[in-house]
Amino acid sequence: MGERRRGTAMDVEAAARAAAEDKAALDTYRTLRAGLVAIGLLLAVGLAVHIVRAGGRVPPSISATFYSDDLRGIFVATLLCVGLALVAVKGRPGAENTLLDIAGVLIPVVGFVPTPIADPSCPLPGRDCVPEALHAAIDTNMWAYLGAGLVALVVAGLRMWSVRSSTPWSPSTRRGLVVVSVLWLVYAGGYAFVRPVFVQFAHYTSAISFFLLLIAVVWINGRTSLGVNDLADLSGAAYRRVYRAIAITMLAAVAVGIVVFAITGQQNAVVGDRFPVVFWIEAVLLALFVTYWVFQTVELWNYSVPPQAG
């Protein structure tokens, strides 16, 4: 009888511990999703303050605020926080989760390698470049990031192949690690062997890739979201409509940005010397980013990982 009671007590204790761990995981994912909203709002409010302090003058792009003394810290910090949060938060197993991880890996590069601007140190007159004075800082940032990334990949690889792992990695997770490893090789090789080209184009190449990956994630949610047990009591169809609208609008904004660059050859194009078209494209994308994570936070408030049909 005594052994049976001890066994029952141990079962109750184990169940309570599992429930506490589930609650902690749920609170973590709630914080991550809500934190992505807060990060976007931080940058938006910082931009508003920056524009007010500049007498209402809008910068040529959000990326160009890297060169401002008052907003550089917020700009770089928000990109690093977004990257870490996207790697940490979990999407549906498979493509969605892998796309989030890749987007999270890319976005810090947007902060480490600033957008080209007009500068006396530019080798070609009339063509924007990243000022030579910043190249040493870029070296430090990129080699540190690539080094830390290599350590993370080695640790992840050891975990994946460890026979002592309590939860074997799924094939989709293994494929995701392979994709991130290839991405690391591309960036490391590009920075090591074609550094001038990398420094010139890495900022917007990484930014555009980031948004294309995020668009794919939003579109996946626009096809698969269930809207079950959410905070707002919306139907799955309502969430799917919202996500599809966000994805389509994001894609249109990115397409406009690419067309503007193709026509002007400038990554911070200003139309008619007055209208900062790239700034407003980026502002729309920032607003849509925040909107998406607001809906994700509301829809998935009671879930660690998004639920799947059937």
Side-chain angles (χ1 to χ4, degrees):
M1 182 68 71
E3 290 182 1
R4 183 179 302 173
R5 288 178 178 174
R6 283 196 299 271
T8 302
M10 292 175 62
D11 290 343
V12 171
E13 182 181 350
R17 186 166 57 248
E21 291 173 352
D22 290 343
K23 179 65 165 54
L26 181 59
D27 286 342
T28 298
Y29 284 107
R30 285 173 175 171
T31 304
L32 280 171
R33 296 185 184 108
L36 283 161
V37 175
I39 293 166
L41 290 176
L42 172 64
L43 181 55
V45 173
L47 281 167
V49 174
H50 172 77
I51 292 170
V52 170
R53 288 169 59 90
R57 183 168 55 85
V58 176
S61 69
I62 294 177
S63 296
T65 61
F66 176 92
Y67 296 96
S68 66
D69 292 333
D70 61 335
L71 196 57
R72 181 187 302 118
I74 288 178
F75 175 73
V76 175
T78 54
L79 298 181
L80 296 180
C81 289
V82 166
L84 180 60
L86 290 182
V87 171
V89 76
K90 297 300 178 188
R92 293 170 183 81
E96 181 182 350
N97 196 55
T98 298
L99 291 170
L100 286 171
D101 288 345
I102 298 171
V105 169
L106 284 176
I107 196 64
V109 178
V110 179
F112 293 147
V113 184
T115 181
I117 59 171
D119 188 79
S121 67
C122 293
L124 297 176
R127 184 179 178 184
D128 293 352
C129 72
V130 177
E132 191 173 341
L134 294 175
H135 286 200
I138 295 172
D139 263 350
T140 300
N141 293 336
M142 284 305 305
W143 286 126
Y145 187 53
L146 290 167
L150 180 60
V151 172
L153 287 171
V154 169
V155 171
L158 291 175
R159 284 188 58 210
M160 182 175 69
W161 293 107
S162 174
V163 296
R164 305 171 73 178
S165 176
S166 58
T167 54
W169 287 27
S170 67
S172 63
T173 304
R174 292 171 182 266
R175 287 193 295 270
L177 181 59
V178 170
V179 172
V180 173
S181 300
V182 171
L183 181 65
W184 185 92
L185 288 172
V186 170
Y187 269 69
Y191 193 66
F193 298 112
V194 286
R195 190 171 307 177
V197 176
F198 186 98
V199 170
Q200 182 69 16
F201 295 106
H203 179 90
Y204 272 104
T205 300
S206 299
I208 291 171
S209 299
F210 166 81
F211 278 109
L212 290 175
L213 291 165
L214 187 60
I215 289 166
V217 169
V218 179
W219 187 257
I220 289 172
N221 280 269
R223 292 174 57 86
T224 59
S225 289
L226 301 178
V228 178
N229 195 25
D230 66 316
L231 279 181
D233 198 27
L234 294 176
S235 66
Y239 281 109
R240 292 192 294 272
R241 284 194 298 271
V242 169
Y243 293 143
R244 288 197 296 268
I246 292 173
I248 291 169
T249 310
M250 274 186 164
L251 184 59
V254 171
V256 171
I258 293 173
V259 170
V260 168
F261 174 71
I263 294 173
T264 65
Q266 296 181 336
Q267 298 182 35
N268 299 288
V270 177
V271 176
D273 295 326
R274 284 196 301 255
F275 184 70
V277 60
V278 176
F279 173 87
W280 290 111
I281 291 171
E282 292 177 335
V284 168
L285 290 170
L286 175 60
L288 292 169
F289 175 88
V290 172
T291 302
Y292 172 69
W293 285 106
V294 166
F295 277 91
Q296 281 281 278
T297 302
V298 171
E299 182 195 0
L300 303 176
W301 186 255
N302 293 307
Y303 295 95
S304 299
V305 178
Q308 300 184 78

